[in-house]
Coordinates of all heavy atoms in Angstrom, one line a residue:
M41 N -7.2 -17.5 17.3 CA -8.5 -17.1 17.7 C -8.8 -15.8 17.1 O -8.0 -14.9 17.1 CB -8.6 -17.1 19.2 CG -10.0 -16.8 19.7 SD -10.2 -16.4 21.4 CE -9.9 -17.9 22.2
R42 N -10.1 -15.6 16.7 CA -10.5 -14.3 16.2 C -10.7 -13.3 17.3 O -11.4 -13.5 18.3 CB -11.9 -14.5 15.5 CG -12.4 -13.3 14.9 CD -13.8 -13.5 14.4 NE -14.5 -12.3 14.1 CZ -14.8 -11.8 12.9 NH1 -14.6 -12.5 11.9 NH2 -15.4 -10.6 12.8
P43 N -10.0 -12.1 17.1 CA -10.2 -11.1 18.1 C -11.7 -10.5 18.0 O -12.3 -10.6 17.0 CB -9.2 -10.0 17.7 CG -8.9 -10.3 16.3 CD -9.1 -11.7 16.0
V44 N -12.1 -10.0 19.2 CA -13.5 -9.4 19.2 C -13.5 -8.2 18.2 O -12.6 -7.4 18.2 CB -13.8 -8.9 20.6 CG1 -15.2 -8.2 20.6 CG2 -13.8 -10.1 21.6
S45 N -14.5 -8.2 17.3 CA -14.6 -7.2 16.3 C -16.0 -7.1 15.8 O -16.8 -8.0 15.8 CB -13.7 -7.7 15.1 OG -13.8 -6.8 14.0
D46 N -16.3 -5.9 15.3 CA -17.5 -5.6 14.6 C -17.4 -5.9 13.1 O -18.4 -5.7 12.4 CB -18.0 -4.2 14.9 CG -18.4 -3.9 16.3 OD1 -18.8 -4.9 17.0 OD2 -18.2 -2.8 16.8
A47 N -16.3 -6.2 12.6 CA -16.1 -6.4 11.2 C -16.8 -7.7 10.8 O -16.8 -8.7 11.5 CB -14.6 -6.6 10.9
P48 N -17.5 -7.6 9.6 CA -18.3 -8.8 9.2 C -17.4 -9.8 8.5 O -17.8 -10.9 8.2 CB -19.3 -8.2 8.2 CG -18.6 -6.9 7.6 CD -17.8 -6.4 8.8
E49 N -16.1 -9.5 8.2 CA -15.2 -10.4 7.5 C -14.9 -11.6 8.4 O -14.9 -11.5 9.6 CB -13.9 -9.7 7.1 CG -14.1 -8.7 6.0 CD -14.7 -7.3 6.4 OE1 -14.8 -7.1 7.6 OE2 -15.1 -6.6 5.5
L50 N -14.7 -12.7 7.7 CA -14.4 -13.9 8.4 C -13.0 -13.9 9.0 O -12.8 -14.4 10.1 CB -14.5 -15.1 7.4 CG -14.2 -16.5 7.9 CD1 -15.1 -16.9 9.1 CD2 -14.2 -17.5 6.8
F51 N -12.0 -13.3 8.3 CA -10.7 -13.3 8.8 C -10.3 -11.9 9.2 O -10.4 -10.9 8.4 CB -9.7 -13.8 7.7 CG -9.9 -15.2 7.3 CD1 -10.5 -15.6 6.1 CD2 -9.6 -16.3 8.2 CE1 -10.7 -16.9 5.8 CE2 -9.8 -17.6 7.9 CZ -10.3 -17.9 6.7
C52 N -9.9 -11.7 10.4 CA -9.5 -10.4 10.9 C -8.0 -10.5 11.3 O -7.5 -11.5 11.7 CB -10.3 -10.0 12.1 SG -12.0 -9.7 11.7
N53 N -7.3 -9.3 11.3 CA -5.9 -9.3 11.7 C -5.9 -9.0 13.2 O -6.9 -9.0 13.9 CB -5.2 -8.2 10.9 CG -5.7 -6.8 11.1 OD1 -6.4 -6.5 12.1 ND2 -5.5 -6.0 10.1
A54 N -4.6 -8.8 13.7 CA -4.4 -8.6 15.2 C -5.1 -7.3 15.7 O -5.3 -7.2 16.9 CB -2.9 -8.6 15.5
R55 N -5.3 -6.4 14.8 CA -6.0 -5.1 15.2 C -7.5 -5.2 15.0 O -8.2 -4.2 15.1 CB -5.4 -4.0 14.3 CG -3.9 -3.7 14.6 CD -3.4 -2.6 13.8 NE -3.5 -2.7 12.4 CZ -2.7 -3.4 11.6 NH1 -1.6 -3.9 12.0 NH2 -2.9 -3.4 10.3
A56 N -8.0 -6.4 14.9 CA -9.5 -6.7 14.7 C -10.1 -6.0 13.5 O -11.3 -5.6 13.4 CB -10.2 -6.3 16.0
Q57 N -9.2 -5.8 12.5 CA -9.7 -5.2 11.2 C -9.7 -6.3 10.2 O -9.1 -7.4 10.3 CB -8.7 -4.1 10.7 CG -8.7 -2.9 11.7 CD -7.6 -2.0 11.3 OE1 -6.6 -2.4 10.7 NE2 -7.7 -0.7 11.7
A58 N -10.4 -6.1 9.1 CA -10.4 -7.1 8.0 C -9.0 -7.4 7.5 O -8.2 -6.5 7.3 CB -11.3 -6.5 6.8
M59 N -8.7 -8.7 7.4 CA -7.4 -9.1 7.0 C -7.2 -8.8 5.5 O -8.2 -9.0 4.7 CB -7.2 -10.6 7.2 CG -5.8 -11.1 6.9 SD -5.6 -12.8 7.3 CE -5.6 -12.8 9.0
T60 N -6.1 -8.2 5.1 CA -5.8 -7.9 3.7 C -5.5 -9.2 3.0 O -5.1 -10.2 3.6 CB -4.7 -6.9 3.6 OG1 -3.5 -7.5 4.1 CG2 -5.0 -5.6 4.3
R61 N -5.5 -9.1 1.7 CA -5.1 -10.3 0.9 C -3.7 -10.7 1.2 O -3.3 -11.8 1.3 CB -5.3 -9.9 -0.6 CG -5.0 -11.1 -1.5 CD -5.1 -10.6 -3.0 NE -5.1 -11.8 -3.8 CZ -6.1 -12.1 -4.6 NH1 -7.2 -11.3 -4.7 NH2 -6.1 -13.2 -5.3
S62 N -2.8 -9.7 1.2 CA -1.4 -10.0 1.5 C -1.2 -10.5 2.9 O -0.3 -11.4 3.2 CB -0.5 -8.8 1.3 OG -0.8 -7.7 2.1
G63 N -2.0 -10.1 3.9 CA -1.9 -10.6 5.2 C -2.3 -12.0 5.3 O -1.7 -12.9 5.9
F64 N -3.4 -12.4 4.5 CA -3.8 -13.8 4.4 C -2.7 -14.7 3.8 O -2.4 -15.8 4.3 CB -5.1 -13.9 3.7 CG -5.7 -15.3 3.7 CD1 -6.5 -15.7 4.7 CD2 -5.4 -16.2 2.6 CE1 -7.0 -17.0 4.8 CE2 -5.9 -17.5 2.7 CZ -6.7 -17.9 3.7
E65 N -2.1 -14.2 2.7 CA -1.0 -14.9 2.1 C 0.1 -15.1 3.0 O 0.7 -16.2 3.0 CB -0.6 -14.2 0.8 CG -1.5 -14.2 -0.3 CD -1.0 -13.5 -1.6 OE1 -0.1 -14.0 -2.2 OE2 -1.6 -12.4 -1.8
Y66 N 0.5 -14.1 3.8 CA 1.6 -14.2 4.8 C 1.3 -15.3 5.8 O 2.1 -16.2 6.1 CB 1.8 -12.8 5.5 CG 2.8 -12.9 6.6 CD1 4.1 -13.0 6.3 CD2 2.3 -12.8 7.9 CE1 5.0 -13.1 7.4 CE2 3.2 -12.9 8.9 CZ 4.6 -13.0 8.7 OH 5.5 -13.1 9.7
I67 N 0.1 -15.3 6.4 CA -0.3 -16.3 7.4 C -0.3 -17.7 6.8 O 0.2 -18.6 7.4 CB -1.7 -15.9 8.0 CG1 -1.7 -14.6 8.7 CG2 -2.2 -17.1 8.9 CD1 -0.8 -14.5 9.9
L68 N -0.9 -17.8 5.6 CA -0.9 -19.1 4.9 C 0.5 -19.6 4.6 O 0.8 -20.8 4.9 CB -1.7 -18.9 3.6 CG -1.8 -20.2 2.7 CD1 -2.5 -21.3 3.5 CD2 -2.5 -19.9 1.4
S69 N 1.4 -18.7 4.2 CA 2.8 -19.2 3.9 C 3.5 -19.7 5.2 O 4.2 -20.6 5.2 CB 3.6 -18.1 3.3 OG 3.9 -17.0 4.2
K70 N 3.2 -19.1 6.3 CA 3.7 -19.5 7.6 C 3.2 -20.9 7.9 O 3.9 -21.8 8.4 CB 3.4 -18.6 8.7 CG 4.2 -17.3 8.7 CD 4.0 -16.3 9.8 CE 3.2 -16.7 11.0 NZ 3.1 -15.6 12.0
H71 N 1.9 -21.1 7.7 CA 1.3 -22.5 8.0 C 1.8 -23.5 7.0 O 2.1 -24.7 7.4 CB -0.2 -22.4 8.0 CG -0.8 -21.7 9.2 ND1 -0.7 -22.3 10.4 CD2 -1.4 -20.5 9.3 CE1 -1.3 -21.4 11.3 NE2 -1.7 -20.4 10.6
V72 N 2.0 -23.1 5.8 CA 2.6 -24.1 4.8 C 4.0 -24.5 5.2 O 4.4 -25.6 5.1 CB 2.5 -23.5 3.3 CG1 3.3 -24.3 2.4 CG2 1.1 -23.3 2.9
A73 N 4.8 -23.5 5.6 CA 6.2 -23.8 6.0 C 6.2 -24.8 7.2 O 7.0 -25.7 7.3 CB 6.9 -22.5 6.4
T74 N 5.3 -24.5 8.2 CA 5.2 -25.4 9.3 C 4.7 -26.8 8.9 O 5.3 -27.8 9.3 CB 4.1 -24.9 10.3 OG1 4.6 -23.6 10.8 CG2 4.0 -25.8 11.5
A75 N 3.8 -26.9 8.0 CA 3.3 -28.2 7.5 C 4.4 -28.9 6.7 O 4.5 -30.2 6.8 CB 2.1 -28.0 6.6
A76 N 5.2 -28.2 6.0 CA 6.3 -28.8 5.2 C 7.3 -29.4 6.0 O 8.0 -30.4 5.6 CB 6.9 -27.7 4.3
R77 N 7.5 -29.0 7.3 CA 8.5 -29.6 8.2 C 8.0 -31.0 8.6 O 8.8 -31.9 8.8 CB 8.7 -28.7 9.4 CG 9.6 -27.5 9.1 CD 10.1 -26.8 10.3 NE 9.1 -26.2 11.1 CZ 8.6 -24.9 10.9 NH1 9.1 -24.2 9.9 NH2 7.7 -24.4 11.7
K78 N 6.7 -31.2 8.7 CA 6.2 -32.5 9.0 C 5.9 -33.4 7.8 O 6.0 -34.6 7.9 CB 4.9 -32.3 9.8 CG 5.1 -31.6 11.1 CD 4.3 -32.3 12.2 CE 4.5 -31.5 13.5 NZ 4.8 -32.3 14.6
A79 N 5.6 -32.7 6.7 CA 5.3 -33.5 5.4 C 6.0 -32.7 4.3 O 5.5 -31.9 3.7 CB 3.8 -33.5 5.2
P80 N 7.3 -33.1 4.1 CA 8.2 -32.4 3.2 C 7.6 -32.3 1.7 O 8.0 -31.4 1.0 CB 9.5 -33.2 3.2 CG 9.5 -33.9 4.5 CD 8.0 -34.2 4.8
S81 N 6.7 -33.2 1.3 CA 6.2 -33.1 0.0 C 5.4 -31.8 -0.2 O 5.2 -31.4 -1.4 CB 5.3 -34.3 -0.3 OG 4.2 -34.4 0.5
I82 N 4.9 -31.2 0.8 CA 4.1 -30.0 0.7 C 5.0 -28.9 0.2 O 4.5 -28.0 -0.5 CB 3.4 -29.7 2.1 CG1 2.4 -30.7 2.4 CG2 2.8 -28.3 2.1 CD1 1.8 -30.6 3.7
A83 N 6.2 -28.9 0.5 CA 7.1 -27.8 0.2 C 7.1 -27.5 -1.3 O 7.3 -26.4 -1.7 CB 8.6 -28.1 0.7
G84 N 7.0 -28.5 -2.1 CA 7.0 -28.3 -3.6 C 5.7 -28.0 -4.2 O 5.6 -27.7 -5.4
K85 N 4.7 -27.9 -3.4 CA 3.3 -27.6 -3.9 C 3.1 -26.1 -4.0 O 3.7 -25.4 -3.2 CB 2.2 -28.2 -3.0 CG 2.4 -29.6 -2.7 CD 1.9 -30.5 -3.8 CE 2.0 -31.9 -3.4 NZ 2.1 -32.8 -4.5
G86 N 2.3 -25.6 -4.8 CA 2.0 -24.2 -5.0 C 0.8 -23.9 -4.2 O -0.3 -23.7 -4.7
V87 N 0.9 -23.8 -2.9 CA -0.2 -23.5 -2.0 C -0.4 -22.0 -1.9 O 0.5 -21.3 -1.6 CB -0.1 -24.1 -0.6 CG1 -1.3 -23.7 0.3 CG2 0.2 -25.6 -0.6
S88 N -1.6 -21.5 -2.3 CA -1.9 -20.1 -2.4 C -3.4 -19.9 -2.1 O -4.2 -20.9 -2.1 CB -1.6 -19.5 -3.8 OG -2.6 -20.0 -4.7
P89 N -3.8 -18.7 -1.7 CA -5.2 -18.5 -1.5 C -6.1 -18.9 -2.7 O -7.1 -19.5 -2.6 CB -5.3 -17.0 -1.3 CG -4.0 -16.6 -0.7 CD -3.0 -17.5 -1.4
H90 N -5.6 -18.7 -3.9 CA -6.3 -19.1 -5.1 C -6.5 -20.6 -5.2 O -7.6 -21.1 -5.5 CB -5.7 -18.6 -6.4 CG -6.4 -19.0 -7.6 ND1 -7.6 -18.5 -8.0 CD2 -6.1 -20.0 -8.5 CE1 -8.0 -19.1 -9.1 NE2 -7.1 -20.0 -9.4
V91 N -5.4 -21.3 -4.9 CA -5.5 -22.8 -4.9 C -6.5 -23.3 -3.9 O -7.3 -24.2 -4.2 CB -4.1 -23.4 -4.7 CG1 -4.1 -24.9 -4.4 CG2 -3.2 -23.1 -5.9
L92 N -6.5 -22.7 -2.7 CA -7.4 -23.1 -1.7 C -8.9 -22.8 -2.1 O -9.8 -23.6 -2.0 CB -7.2 -22.3 -0.4 CG -5.9 -22.7 0.4 CD1 -5.8 -21.8 1.6 CD2 -5.8 -24.1 0.7
R93 N -9.1 -21.7 -2.7 CA -10.4 -21.3 -3.2 C -10.9 -22.2 -4.3 O -12.0 -22.7 -4.3 CB -10.3 -19.8 -3.8 CG -11.6 -19.3 -4.3 CD -11.4 -17.8 -4.7 NE -12.7 -17.2 -4.9 CZ -13.2 -16.8 -6.0 NH1 -12.5 -17.0 -7.1 NH2 -14.4 -16.3 -6.1
H94 N -10.0 -22.5 -5.3 CA -10.3 -23.4 -6.4 C -10.6 -24.8 -5.9 O -11.6 -25.5 -6.3 CB -9.2 -23.4 -7.4 CG -9.5 -24.3 -8.6 ND1 -10.4 -23.9 -9.5 CD2 -9.1 -25.5 -8.9 CE1 -10.5 -24.9 -10.4 NE2 -9.7 -25.9 -10.0
T95 N -9.7 -25.3 -5.0 CA -9.9 -26.7 -4.4 C -11.2 -26.8 -3.7 O -12.0 -27.8 -3.9 CB -8.7 -27.0 -3.5 OG1 -7.5 -26.9 -4.2 CG2 -8.9 -28.4 -2.9
C96 N -11.6 -25.8 -2.9 CA -12.9 -25.8 -2.2 C -14.0 -25.8 -3.2 O -15.0 -26.5 -3.0 CB -12.9 -24.6 -1.2 SG -14.4 -24.7 -0.2
A97 N -13.9 -25.0 -4.2 CA -15.0 -25.0 -5.2 C -15.1 -26.3 -5.9 O -16.3 -26.8 -6.1 CB -14.6 -23.9 -6.3
M98 N -14.0 -27.0 -6.3 CA -14.1 -28.3 -6.9 C -14.7 -29.3 -6.0 O -15.5 -30.1 -6.4 CB -12.7 -28.7 -7.4 CG -12.1 -27.8 -8.5 SD -13.2 -27.6 -10.0 CE -12.9 -29.2 -10.7
H99 N -14.3 -29.3 -4.7 CA -14.9 -30.3 -3.7 C -16.4 -30.0 -3.5 O -17.1 -31.0 -3.4 CB -14.1 -30.2 -2.4 CG -12.8 -30.9 -2.4 ND1 -12.7 -32.2 -2.4 CD2 -11.5 -30.4 -2.5 CE1 -11.4 -32.5 -2.4 NE2 -10.7 -31.4 -2.5
T100 N -16.8 -28.7 -3.5 CA -18.2 -28.4 -3.3 C -19.0 -28.9 -4.6 O -20.0 -29.5 -4.4 CB -18.3 -26.9 -3.2 OG1 -17.6 -26.5 -2.0 CG2 -19.8 -26.5 -3.0
L101 N -18.4 -28.7 -5.7 CA -19.1 -29.2 -6.9 C -19.2 -30.8 -6.9 O -20.2 -31.3 -7.2 CB -18.3 -28.8 -8.2 CG -18.9 -29.3 -9.5 CD1 -20.3 -28.6 -9.7 CD2 -18.0 -28.9 -10.7
Q102 N -18.1 -31.4 -6.5 CA -18.2 -32.9 -6.4 C -19.2 -33.4 -5.4 O -19.9 -34.4 -5.6 CB -16.8 -33.5 -6.1 CG -15.8 -33.4 -7.2 CD -14.4 -33.7 -6.8 OE1 -14.1 -33.9 -5.6 NE2 -13.5 -33.9 -7.8
A103 N -19.3 -32.7 -4.3 CA -20.2 -33.1 -3.2 C -21.6 -32.8 -3.5 O -22.5 -33.6 -3.2 CB -19.8 -32.4 -1.9
T104 N -21.9 -31.7 -4.2 CA -23.3 -31.2 -4.4 C -23.8 -31.4 -5.9 O -25.0 -31.5 -6.1 CB -23.5 -29.7 -4.1 OG1 -22.7 -28.9 -5.0 CG2 -23.0 -29.4 -2.7
R105 N -22.8 -31.5 -6.8 CA -23.2 -31.5 -8.2 C -24.0 -30.3 -8.6 O -24.9 -30.4 -9.5 CB -23.9 -32.8 -8.6 CG -23.1 -34.0 -8.4 CD -22.0 -34.2 -9.4 NE -21.3 -35.4 -9.2 CZ -20.0 -35.5 -9.5 NH1 -19.3 -34.5 -9.9 NH2 -19.3 -36.6 -9.3
D106 N -23.9 -29.2 -7.9 CA -24.7 -28.0 -8.2 C -23.8 -26.8 -8.4 O -23.3 -26.2 -7.5 CB -25.6 -27.8 -6.9 CG -26.6 -26.7 -7.2 OD1 -26.6 -26.0 -8.2 OD2 -27.6 -26.6 -6.3
V107 N -23.7 -26.5 -9.7 CA -22.9 -25.3 -10.1 C -23.4 -24.0 -9.5 O -22.6 -23.1 -9.2 CB -22.8 -25.2 -11.7 CG1 -22.1 -24.0 -12.1 CG2 -22.2 -26.5 -12.3
R108 N -24.7 -23.9 -9.3 CA -25.3 -22.7 -8.7 C -24.7 -22.5 -7.3 O -24.4 -21.3 -7.0 CB -26.8 -22.8 -8.6 CG -27.5 -22.7 -10.0 CD -28.9 -23.1 -9.9 NE -29.0 -24.4 -9.4 CZ -30.1 -25.0 -8.9 NH1 -31.2 -24.3 -8.9 NH2 -30.1 -26.2 -8.4
K109 N -24.6 -23.5 -6.5 CA -24.0 -23.4 -5.2 C -22.6 -22.9 -5.2 O -22.1 -22.1 -4.5 CB -24.2 -24.7 -4.4 CG -25.6 -25.0 -3.9 CD -25.6 -26.2 -3.1 CE -27.1 -26.5 -2.8 NZ -27.3 -27.8 -2.1
V110 N -21.8 -23.5 -6.1 CA -20.4 -23.1 -6.3 C -20.4 -21.7 -6.7 O -19.5 -20.9 -6.2 CB -19.7 -24.1 -7.3 CG1 -18.3 -23.6 -7.6 CG2 -19.7 -25.5 -6.8
S111 N -21.2 -21.3 -7.7 CA -21.2 -19.9 -8.2 C -21.5 -18.9 -7.0 O -20.9 -17.9 -6.9 CB -22.3 -19.8 -9.3 OG -22.3 -18.5 -9.8
L112 N -22.5 -19.2 -6.2 CA -22.8 -18.4 -5.1 C -21.6 -18.3 -4.1 O -21.3 -17.2 -3.7 CB -24.0 -18.9 -4.3 CG -25.4 -18.6 -5.0 CD1 -26.5 -19.4 -4.3 CD2 -25.7 -17.1 -5.0
W113 N -21.0 -19.4 -3.8 CA -19.9 -19.4 -2.9 C -18.7 -18.6 -3.4 O -18.0 -17.9 -2.7 CB -19.5 -20.9 -2.6 CG -18.4 -21.0 -1.6 CD1 -18.6 -21.0 -0.2 CD2 -17.0 -21.1 -1.8 NE1 -17.4 -21.1 0.4 CE2 -16.4 -21.1 -0.5 CE3 -16.2 -21.1 -2.9 CZ2 -15.0 -21.2 -0.3 CZ3 -14.8 -21.2 -2.7 CH2 -14.3 -21.2 -1.5
L114 N -18.5 -18.7 -4.7 CA -17.3 -18.0 -5.3 C -17.6 -16.5 -5.5 O -16.8 -15.7 -5.7 CB -17.0 -18.6 -6.7 CG -16.3 -20.0 -6.7 CD1 -16.2 -20.5 -8.1 CD2 -15.0 -20.0 -6.0
G115 N -18.9 -16.2 -5.5 CA -19.3 -14.8 -5.7 C -19.3 -14.3 -7.1 O -19.2 -13.2 -7.4
H116 N -19.5 -15.3 -8.0 CA -19.5 -15.0 -9.4 C -20.9 -14.3 -9.8 O -21.9 -14.7 -9.3 CB -19.3 -16.2 -10.3 CG -17.9 -16.7 -10.3 ND1 -17.6 -17.9 -10.8 CD2 -16.8 -16.2 -9.8 CE1 -16.3 -18.1 -10.6 NE2 -15.8 -17.1 -10.1
A117 N -20.8 -13.4 -10.7 CA -22.1 -12.7 -11.1 C -22.9 -13.6 -12.0 O -24.2 -13.4 -12.1 CB -21.7 -11.5 -11.9
S118 N -22.3 -14.6 -12.7 CA -23.1 -15.4 -13.6 C -22.7 -16.9 -13.5 O -21.5 -17.1 -13.2 CB -23.1 -14.9 -15.0 OG -21.8 -15.2 -15.5
L119 N -23.6 -17.8 -13.9 CA -23.2 -19.2 -13.9 C -22.1 -19.4 -15.0 O -21.3 -20.3 -14.9 CB -24.4 -20.1 -14.2 CG -25.3 -20.3 -13.0 CD1 -26.6 -21.1 -13.5 CD2 -24.6 -21.0 -11.9
Q120 N -22.2 -18.6 -16.1 CA -21.2 -18.8 -17.2 C -19.8 -18.6 -16.6 O -18.9 -19.3 -17.0 CB -21.5 -17.8 -18.3 CG -22.7 -18.2 -19.1 CD -24.0 -17.7 -18.4 OE1 -24.0 -16.9 -17.5 NE2 -25.1 -18.2 -18.9
S121 N -19.6 -17.6 -15.8 CA -18.2 -17.4 -15.2 C -17.8 -18.6 -14.4 O -16.6 -19.0 -14.5 CB -18.3 -16.2 -14.2 OG -18.6 -15.0 -14.9
T122 N -18.7 -19.2 -13.7 CA -18.4 -20.3 -12.9 C -18.1 -21.5 -13.7 O -17.1 -22.3 -13.5 CB -19.5 -20.7 -11.9 OG1 -19.8 -19.5 -11.1 CG2 -19.2 -21.8 -10.9
E123 N -18.9 -21.7 -14.8 CA -18.6 -22.9 -15.7 C -17.3 -22.8 -16.4 O -16.6 -23.8 -16.5 CB -19.8 -23.0 -16.7 CG -21.1 -23.4 -16.1 CD -22.3 -23.3 -17.0 OE1 -22.2 -22.6 -18.0 OE2 -23.3 -23.8 -16.6
V124 N -16.9 -21.6 -16.8 CA -15.6 -21.4 -17.4 C -14.5 -21.7 -16.4 O -13.5 -22.4 -16.7 CB -15.4 -19.9 -17.9 CG1 -14.0 -19.6 -18.3 CG2 -16.3 -19.7 -19.1
Y125 N -14.6 -21.2 -15.2 CA -13.7 -21.4 -14.1 C -13.5 -22.9 -13.8 O -12.4 -23.4 -13.7 CB -14.2 -20.6 -12.8 CG -13.3 -20.7 -11.6 CD1 -12.2 -19.9 -11.4 CD2 -13.7 -21.6 -10.6 CE1 -11.5 -20.0 -10.3 CE2 -12.9 -21.7 -9.4 CZ -11.8 -20.9 -9.3 OH -11.1 -21.0 -8.1
L126 N -14.6 -23.6 -13.6 CA -14.6 -25.0 -13.3 C -14.0 -25.8 -14.5 O -13.3 -26.8 -14.3 CB -15.9 -25.5 -12.9 CG -16.5 -24.9 -11.6 CD1 -17.9 -25.3 -11.4 CD2 -15.6 -25.2 -10.4
R127 N -14.4 -25.5 -15.7 CA -13.9 -26.2 -16.9 C -12.4 -26.0 -17.0 O -11.7 -27.0 -17.2 CB -14.6 -25.7 -18.1 CG -14.4 -26.6 -19.3 CD -15.2 -26.2 -20.5 NE -16.6 -25.8 -20.3 CZ -17.1 -24.6 -20.4 NH1 -16.3 -23.6 -20.9 NH2 -18.3 -24.3 -20.1
A128 N -11.9 -24.8 -16.8 CA -10.4 -24.6 -16.8 C -9.7 -25.5 -15.8 O -8.7 -26.0 -16.0 CB -10.1 -23.1 -16.6
G129 N -10.3 -25.5 -14.6 CA -9.7 -26.3 -13.5 C -9.7 -27.8 -13.8 O -8.7 -28.5 -13.6
S130 N -10.8 -28.3 -14.3 CA -10.9 -29.8 -14.6 C -10.0 -30.1 -15.8 O -9.4 -31.2 -15.8 CB -12.3 -30.2 -14.8 OG -12.9 -29.5 -15.9
D131 N -9.8 -29.2 -16.8 CA -8.9 -29.4 -17.9 C -7.4 -29.5 -17.4 O -6.7 -30.4 -17.8 CB -9.0 -28.3 -18.9 CG -10.3 -28.4 -19.7 OD1 -11.0 -29.4 -19.6 OD2 -10.6 -27.4 -20.4
R132 N -7.1 -28.6 -16.4 CA -5.7 -28.6 -15.8 C -5.5 -29.9 -15.1 O -4.5 -30.5 -15.2 CB -5.6 -27.4 -14.9 CG -4.8 -26.3 -15.5 CD -4.3 -25.3 -14.4 NE -5.4 -24.8 -13.5 CZ -6.3 -23.9 -13.8 NH1 -6.2 -23.3 -14.9 NH2 -7.2 -23.5 -12.9
E133 N -6.5 -30.3 -14.3 CA -6.4 -31.6 -13.5 C -6.2 -32.8 -14.4 O -5.4 -33.7 -14.2 CB -7.6 -31.7 -12.6 CG -7.6 -30.8 -11.4 CD -8.9 -30.8 -10.7 OE1 -9.7 -31.7 -10.9 OE2 -9.0 -29.9 -9.8
A134 N -7.0 -32.8 -15.5 CA -6.9 -33.9 -16.5 C -5.5 -34.0 -17.1 O -4.9 -35.1 -17.2 CB -8.0 -33.8 -17.5
R135 N -4.9 -32.8 -17.4 CA -3.6 -32.8 -18.0 C -2.5 -33.3 -17.0 O -1.5 -33.9 -17.4 CB -3.2 -31.4 -18.6 CG -4.0 -31.1 -19.9 CD -3.4 -29.9 -20.5 NE -3.4 -28.7 -19.6 CZ -4.3 -27.8 -19.5 NH1 -5.4 -28.0 -20.2 NH2 -4.2 -26.8 -18.7
S136 N -2.7 -33.0 -15.7 CA -1.7 -33.3 -14.7 C -1.9 -34.7 -14.1 O -1.0 -35.1 -13.4 CB -1.6 -32.2 -13.6 OG -2.8 -32.3 -12.9
A137 N -3.0 -35.3 -14.4 CA -3.3 -36.7 -13.8 C -2.3 -37.7 -14.4 O -2.0 -37.6 -15.6 CB -4.7 -37.1 -14.1
P138 N -1.8 -38.6 -13.6 CA -0.9 -39.6 -14.1 C -1.6 -40.5 -15.1 O -2.8 -40.9 -15.0 CB -0.5 -40.4 -12.9 CG -1.4 -40.1 -11.8 CD -2.1 -38.8 -12.2
R139 N -0.9 -40.8 -16.2 CA -1.5 -41.7 -17.2 C -1.0 -43.1 -16.9 O 0.1 -43.4 -16.6 CB -0.9 -41.3 -18.6 CG -1.3 -39.9 -19.0 CD -2.5 -40.0 -19.9 NE -2.8 -38.6 -20.3 CZ -4.0 -38.4 -20.8 NH1 -4.8 -39.3 -21.1 NH2 -4.3 -37.2 -21.1
H140 N -1.9 -44.1 -17.0 CA -1.6 -45.5 -16.8 C -1.4 -46.1 -18.2 O -2.1 -45.9 -19.1 CB -2.8 -46.2 -16.1 CG -3.0 -45.6 -14.8 ND1 -2.2 -45.8 -13.7 CD2 -4.0 -44.8 -14.3 CE1 -2.7 -45.2 -12.6 NE2 -3.8 -44.6 -13.0
V141 N -0.4 -47.0 -18.2 CA 0.0 -47.7 -19.4 C -1.3 -48.6 -19.8 O -1.8 -49.3 -19.0 CB 1.2 -48.6 -19.3 CG1 1.5 -49.4 -20.5 CG2 2.4 -47.7 -18.9
G142 N -1.7 -48.4 -21.1 CA -2.8 -49.2 -21.6 C -4.2 -48.6 -21.2 O -5.2 -49.3 -21.4
A143 N -4.2 -47.5 -20.5 CA -5.5 -47.0 -20.1 C -6.2 -46.4 -21.3 O -5.6 -45.9 -22.2 CB -5.2 -45.8 -19.0
R144 N -7.5 -46.5 -21.2 CA -8.4 -46.0 -22.3 C -8.9 -44.7 -21.8 O -9.4 -44.6 -20.7 CB -9.5 -47.0 -22.6 CG -9.0 -48.2 -23.2 CD -10.1 -49.2 -23.5 NE -9.5 -50.4 -23.9 CZ -10.2 -51.5 -24.1 NH1 -11.5 -51.5 -23.9 NH2 -9.7 -52.6 -24.4
C145 N -8.9 -43.7 -22.7 CA -9.5 -42.4 -22.3 C -10.7 -42.1 -23.1 O -11.0 -42.6 -24.1 CB -8.5 -41.3 -22.6 SG -7.0 -41.4 -21.6

């Protein structure tokens, strides 16, 4: 539960101050460890704040088909930055997707 705070940040620490990047990583790693006990396949995944951010951006793009919304959400200064970011992500996903025998690309 979020402590009462005047901080505008979404995530606050136990002292009701803005959570640091390392603090968020620490909390996330604890939750990943807990999840891995119930679903061991998670243990081998690279779950990080960046992966969460990128995954959310890709899902937002798939849901809205609007790069401008993704750009605003990511806080990018330009659409070009977002397009490069999304292109790199989709290229990585395409390389890691399983190939089917006889599949046409």
Side-chain angles (χ1 to χ4, degrees):
M41 182 191 292
R42 180 188 164 111
V44 176
S45 173
D46 290 330
E49 288 78 14
L50 179 60
F51 297 106
C52 292
N53 61 23
R55 295 182 303 273
Q57 299 170 332
M59 186 178 290
T60 63
R61 183 183 194 121
S62 61
F64 186 85
E65 287 180 74
Y66 172 73
I67 298 294
L68 180 61
S69 69
K70 286 183 8 179
H71 287 290
V72 169
T74 300
R77 287 194 289 277
K78 297 227 182 224
S81 64
I82 292 173
K85 308 283 186 203
V87 181
S88 69
H90 177 76
V91 168
L92 293 179
R93 180 175 194 253
H94 181 75
T95 301
C96 187
M98 295 303 286
H99 283 285
T100 301
L101 180 64
Q102 289 172 348
T104 66
R105 299 285 183 216
D106 189 345
V107 175
R108 292 170 299 165
K109 287 181 182 174
V110 176
S111 184
L112 284 170
W113 186 82
L114 291 171
H116 287 169
S118 71
L119 283 176
Q120 289 79 13
S121 299
T122 306
E123 289 169 349
V124 168
Y125 178 84
L126 295 174
R127 194 174 315 115
S130 59
D131 289 349
R132 258 193 310 277
E133 288 170 9
R135 286 193 305 271
S136 66
R139 299 261 179 195
H140 298 287
V141 176
R144 295 181 189 173
C145 296

